[in-house]
Amino acid sequence: VQLQASGGGLVQAGGSLRLSCAINIGTIRVNAIGWHRQAPGKQRELVALWRKDGTTTIADSVKGRFTIARDNSKDTVSLQMNALKPEDTAGYYCNAEVPRYGSSAIDDYWGQGTLVTVSS
């Protein structure tokens, strides 16, 4: 299982970016896809979570500014980030929870990350 995160870059405060997470097995085979971020010297935190039943969870720190959704045409899960702040600067990583075939176990897979830099 491989995940590919894309869409990071440099943006001014108040601007927007859209990150995409593609998974080679297709989103139909996952239980959930999450976006996490890690800033230098800080712990990784969950930013947003998309579940296959269509429900989502957004962290309080980004609620009202970030949304997560599946892009059906591209079979990706995107993180739309609006009203970006310098404190949103971090490496953003997507992960997928994938049921293991023939088992009740759930495996966790991670993409390589994409860097988001917000200038003041």
Side-chain angles (χ1 to χ4, degrees):
V1 177
Q2 295 181 331
L3 290 90
Q4 180 73 41
S6 61
L10 174 64
V11 64
Q12 289 187 332
S16 298
L17 281 175
R18 185 180 181 88
L19 306 183
S20 290
C21 180
I23 184 168
N24 63 338
I25 61 172
T27 60
I28 195 171
R29 292 189 53 194
V30 307
N31 283 353
I33 289 180
W35 279 100
H36 306 249
R37 68 184 180 185
Q38 186 167 21
K42 295 188 177 181
Q43 289 188 331
R44 185 172 294 188
E45 63 171 338
L46 175 67
V47 175
L49 184 70
W50 170 87
R51 302 176 188 85
K52 67 177 181 181
D53 64 1
T55 59
T56 62
T57 298
I58 305 293
D60 288 342
S61 59
V62 302
K63 196 166 291 183
R65 301 188 295 122
F66 291 13
T67 57
I68 187 170
R70 175 182 168 183
D71 184 333
N72 292 330
S73 64
K74 299 179 181 179
D75 197 24
T76 59
V77 174
S78 296
L79 181 69
Q80 179 66 43
M81 307 186 294
N82 299 327
L84 283 161
K85 304 176 182 180
E87 51 262 44
D88 294 319
T89 295
Y92 283 72
Y93 303 84
C94 62
N95 83 306
E97 298 175 5
V98 182
R100 189 180 303 172
Y101 181 77
S103 168
S104 60
I106 304 294
D107 293 318
D108 201 20
Y109 296 92
W110 289 82
Q112 86 289 356
T114 185
L115 183 62
V116 171
T117 303
V118 184
S119 63
S120 57

